[in-house]
């Protein structure tokens, strides 16, 4: 059964003048956004103060009226900060309505009622979103930098640790643990670079564009933008109120970041298993089993991996919400807010958890080194003959025959005799067994980007230069 219509007059709404029937209570609740867009209370008030200041110059407000509005809005702001603001259900449809209604309580509706002259909630919410998102992403930028600093510290302190490197999840070649850390740091540095680009595109002002056609009172949009810290304007009023690409781009950025965090987590989950035993998570970031007392589960990393799907889903959902709507503002755009809030919180928490996991992680270098087997140095064996002038295609085949001999004889490659090596190819010399030293192998990879000490130190230097760039 449908709920009965409320006796409250629709004229109590900001838009209620042309309506003669009350709103269905279910529709009222369905339409309200105050319970989530209240997150923007501070940005909404900042925008209103800047807009009111600009309207002194248009003649809409006197200086005294502006000062009353500014004082009243600061009183509203204090109530929000102190947790004393009382939302009126069915009246406070959104954060804009709530703040204006409460401003009227403080300074009277005659003056408060002038605040919205020439302004629409369409340009107002777009401004609130951009201000809030800019502030949030700058904080996230700081969290990502701190995570990168943790990676840099660990890469420097653990630079002597040598471990198996993998392709196809098969043992491939020896690498430094620091090299593995910096491989993920490279992806996170690109995320940082992309984030800074996203912030620049967000930081443009839509305020003063009205509902869609612009402002009738020659308001100085540049002055408003400057006061609010925007880098410039969105120059088309229709685009300004209808655009949510900046939210979608934020979520796309967050999805890419979380993919990188997920892959980083997957590696550590594998490395932390008893089958590998390369690392051990701190108890703070592990859980146990309600049945099996011996279990220590990497739940922090598994959740980081799992939440990647959540943030991607939020991005994909918003894409579907906005893909077919017509130009300028439509109510569908309200559906950008809740997923944005959730997405933002998940990304923030994920970066923080990742940094803390790595900062407290115990590395077991002896177990790493013992996991390096002689066949992982088969490429080094081929390169040994290259240094004697043998073409690589030929040495690759020769090294493969040595691997086959090792397997068929049941003898590890580094335990084969010189006679056995020379039985495969006479150009192997008495120094051939030196090939099977993992420390030698990693030091030979000294070209830029490689896993030698000098190459890793060069990568560390680049990482530190990226995270110290002017923000």
């Amino acid at each position: 059964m449908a709920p009965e219509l409320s006796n409250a007059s629709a004229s109590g709404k900001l838009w209620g003048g042309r309506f003669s029937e009350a709103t269905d209570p279910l529709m009222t609740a369905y339409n309200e956004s105050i319970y989530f867009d209240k997150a923007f209370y501070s940005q909404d008030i900042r925008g209103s103060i800047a807009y009111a200041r600009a309207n002194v110059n248009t003649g809409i407000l006197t200086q005294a009226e502006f000062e009353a509005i500014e004082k009243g809005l600061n009183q509203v702001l204090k109530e929000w900060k102190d947790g004393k603001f009382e939302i009126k259900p069915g009246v406070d449809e959104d954060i804009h309505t709530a703040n204006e209604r409460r401003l009227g309580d403080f300074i009277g509706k005659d003056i408060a009622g002038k605040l919205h002259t020439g302004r629409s909630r369409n340009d107002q919410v777009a401004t609130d979103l951009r201000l809030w998102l800019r502030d949030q992403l700058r904080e996230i930028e700081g969290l990502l930098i701190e995570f990168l600093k943790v990676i840099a510290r660990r890469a420097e302190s653990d630079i002597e640790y040598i471990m198996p490197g993998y392709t196809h999840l098969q043992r491939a070649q020896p690498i430094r643990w620091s090299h593995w850390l910096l491989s993920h740091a490279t992806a996170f540095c690109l995320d940082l670079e992309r984030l800074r680009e996203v912030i620049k595109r967000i930081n443009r002002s839509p305020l003063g564009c009205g509902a869609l056609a612009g402002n009738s009172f020659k308001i100085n949009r540049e002055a408003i933008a400057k006061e609010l810290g925007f880098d410039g304007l969105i120059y088309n009023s229709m685009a300004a109120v209808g655009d949510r690409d900046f939210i979608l781009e934020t979520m796309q950025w967050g999805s890419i970041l979380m993919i990188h965090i997920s892959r980083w987590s997957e590696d550590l989950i594998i490395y932390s298993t008893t089958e590998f035993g390369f690392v051990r998570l701190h108890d703070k970031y592990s859980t146990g089993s309600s049945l099996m007392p011996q279990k220590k589960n990497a739940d922090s990393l598994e959740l980081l991996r799992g939440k990647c799907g959540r943030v991607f889903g939020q991005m994909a959902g918003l894409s579907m919400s906005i893909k077919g709507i017509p130009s300028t503002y439509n109510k569908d755009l309200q559906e950008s807010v809740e997923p944005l809030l959730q997405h933002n919180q998940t990304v923030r928490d994920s970066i923080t958890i990742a940094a803390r996991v790595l900062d407290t992680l115990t590395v077991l270098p002896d177990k790493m080194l013992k996991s390096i087997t002689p066949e992982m140095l088969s490429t080094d064996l081929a390169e040994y003959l290259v240094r004697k002038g043998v073409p690589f295609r030929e040495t690759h085949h020769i090294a493969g025959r040595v691997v086959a001999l090792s397997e068929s004889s049941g003898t590890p490659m580094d335990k084969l005799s010189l006679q056995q090596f020379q039985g495969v190819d006479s150009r192997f010399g008495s120094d051939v067994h030196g090939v099977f030293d993992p420390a030698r192998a990693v030091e030979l990879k000294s070209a830029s980007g490689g896993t030698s000490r000098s190459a890793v130190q060069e990568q560390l230097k680049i990482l530190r230069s990226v995270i110290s760039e002017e923000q």
Side-chain angles (χ1 to χ4, degrees):
M1 179 180 294
E4 294 182 3
L5 296 181
S6 169
N7 290 325
S9 171
S11 63
K13 308 288 187 182
L14 292 180
W15 41 263
R18 63 92 63 222
F19 290 85
S20 57
E21 296 287 337
T23 309
D24 184 323
L26 177 59
M27 178 58 196
T28 296
Y30 198 67
N31 183 55
E32 282 178 339
S33 59
I34 180 62
Y35 296 103
F36 50 86
D37 66 20
K38 64 181 180 180
F40 312 139
Y41 72 84
S42 175
Q43 290 78 16
D44 191 71
I45 289 170
R46 283 161 56 195
S48 289
I49 290 173
Y51 188 77
R53 193 189 314 276
N55 267 323
V56 173
N57 292 327
T58 66
I60 297 297
L61 297 173
T62 66
Q63 183 63 32
E65 287 172 332
F66 164 72
E67 290 172 1
I69 287 172
E70 183 179 34
K71 180 179 179 181
L73 285 171
N74 281 320
Q75 289 176 281
V76 178
L77 179 64
K78 187 175 188 305
E79 284 194 340
W80 281 112
K81 287 182 175 179
D82 293 344
K84 296 179 179 179
F85 190 100
E86 294 183 11
I87 295 172
K88 292 191 178 299
V91 176
D92 293 340
E93 180 179 331
D94 50 42
I95 187 59
H96 327 297
T97 309
N99 282 342
E100 186 173 331
R101 188 263 308 164
R102 190 59 177 145
L103 175 65
D105 292 343
F106 282 124
I107 69 172
K109 291 182 172 56
D110 287 345
I111 298 177
K114 293 184 176 184
L115 172 62
H116 206 57
T117 305
R119 184 175 66 169
S120 166
R121 288 182 297 173
N122 296 357
D123 62 338
Q124 194 173 356
V125 69
T127 303
D128 291 359
L129 282 164
R130 286 177 180 271
L131 287 172
W132 182 85
L133 194 50
R134 179 190 69 189
D135 295 344
Q136 291 292 312
L137 291 185
R138 284 174 175 167
E139 292 179 13
I140 288 175
E141 179 183 8
L143 294 174
L144 185 52
I145 288 170
E146 288 305 310
F147 182 30
L148 285 166
K149 287 179 179 178
V150 173
I151 294 176
R153 285 199 301 272
R154 291 305 301 254
E156 183 174 43
S157 65
D158 301 350
I159 197 168
E160 297 300 332
Y161 302 163
I162 300 174
M163 65 179 287
Y166 296 85
T167 64
H168 307 275
L169 204 55
Q170 305 291 325
R171 291 175 182 175
Q173 291 180 294
I175 60 169
R176 292 185 186 275
W177 159 252
S178 298
H179 196 207
W180 174 85
L181 285 168
L182 293 169
S183 73
H184 288 283
T186 302
F188 295 134
C189 280
L190 288 174
D191 292 327
L192 179 60
E193 180 181 320
R194 279 188 284 263
L195 176 59
R196 288 168 172 168
E197 292 170 356
V198 171
I199 292 171
K200 288 179 183 177
R201 283 189 284 277
I202 288 170
N203 201 31
R204 298 171 63 207
S205 175
L207 193 53
C209 286
L212 79 159
N215 183 280
S216 302
F217 298 96
K218 298 182 180 179
I219 199 160
N220 188 336
R221 291 187 61 210
E222 287 83 1
I224 297 173
K226 184 177 180 181
E227 179 172 341
L228 294 175
F230 286 115
D231 293 330
L233 303 178
I234 300 173
Y235 287 104
N236 183 284
S237 59
M238 295 175 69
V241 300
D243 171 43
R244 292 298 182 273
D245 287 358
F246 65 97
I247 295 179
L248 185 59
E249 187 178 13
T250 296
M251 290 185 174
Q252 289 168 338
W253 174 83
S255 296
I256 293 172
L257 170 72
M258 288 299 293
I259 287 170
H260 293 154
I261 289 178
S262 179
R263 294 190 68 186
W264 173 85
S265 299
E266 172 67 6
D267 277 357
L268 287 177
I269 290 167
I270 292 169
Y271 296 162
S272 69
T273 61
T274 52
E275 287 75 13
F276 282 71
F278 295 169
V279 299
R280 185 168 58 242
L281 270 70
H282 196 284
D283 286 355
K284 291 179 180 179
Y285 304 104
S286 308
T287 67
S289 166
S290 61
L291 178 63
M292 299 170 283
Q294 82 280 7
K295 292 296 293 297
K296 183 176 183 180
N297 301 323
D299 280 11
S300 55
L301 296 171
E302 291 171 12
L303 285 169
L304 288 171
R305 184 178 60 187
K307 287 181 186 294
C308 176
R310 177 196 292 259
V311 300
F312 187 90
Q314 289 158 345
M315 180 271 292
L318 179 60
S319 298
M320 294 304 98
S321 293
I322 66 177
K323 73 174 182 62
I325 60 177
S327 298
T328 76
Y329 185 82
N330 297 265
K331 197 70 170 187
D332 314 51
L333 296 180
Q334 183 169 290
E335 290 302 300
S336 66
V337 179
E338 286 181 284
L340 173 63
L341 295 170
Q342 295 163 8
H343 183 103
N344 174 75
Q345 192 61 54
T346 300
V347 169
R348 291 175 66 100
D349 292 346
S350 296
I351 298 171
T352 303
I353 289 292
R356 293 177 182 178
V357 166
L358 183 59
D359 197 39
T360 58
L361 191 72
T362 298
V363 182
L364 304 171
D366 291 343
K367 192 72 179 287
M368 288 178 168
L369 192 59
K370 288 178 182 178
S371 296
I372 298 173
T373 51
E375 70 274 7
M376 293 179 64
L377 295 145
S378 297
T379 302
D380 295 81
L381 184 64
E383 291 173 350
Y384 167 90
L385 289 176
V386 168
R387 290 183 171 87
K388 292 180 176 289
V390 184
F392 177 74
R393 275 291 152 236
E394 185 180 351
T395 68
H396 186 282
H397 180 74
I398 294 168
R401 289 174 58 199
V402 174
V403 173
L405 173 63
S406 171
E407 290 177 349
S408 63
S409 65
T411 306
M413 289 176 66
D414 62 335
K415 302 301 182 185
L416 293 171
S417 67
L418 177 59
Q419 183 179 6
Q420 287 174 302
F421 274 107
Q422 290 181 336
V424 174
D425 193 286
S426 61
R427 288 167 290 193
F428 283 118
S430 58
D431 58 347
V432 66
H433 289 92
V435 165
F436 298 100
D437 178 6
R440 171 188 177 276
V442 296
E443 279 307 293
L444 285 173
K445 308 300 187 296
S446 58
S448 182
T451 198
S452 71
R453 169 186 277 272
S454 62
V456 167
Q457 288 173 332
E458 180 185 30
Q459 293 162 51
L460 264 170
K461 183 178 179 180
I462 293 169
L463 171 59
R464 291 198 169 105
S465 71
V466 170
I467 62 182
S468 64
E469 284 180 6
E470 184 179 350
Q471 299 174 35

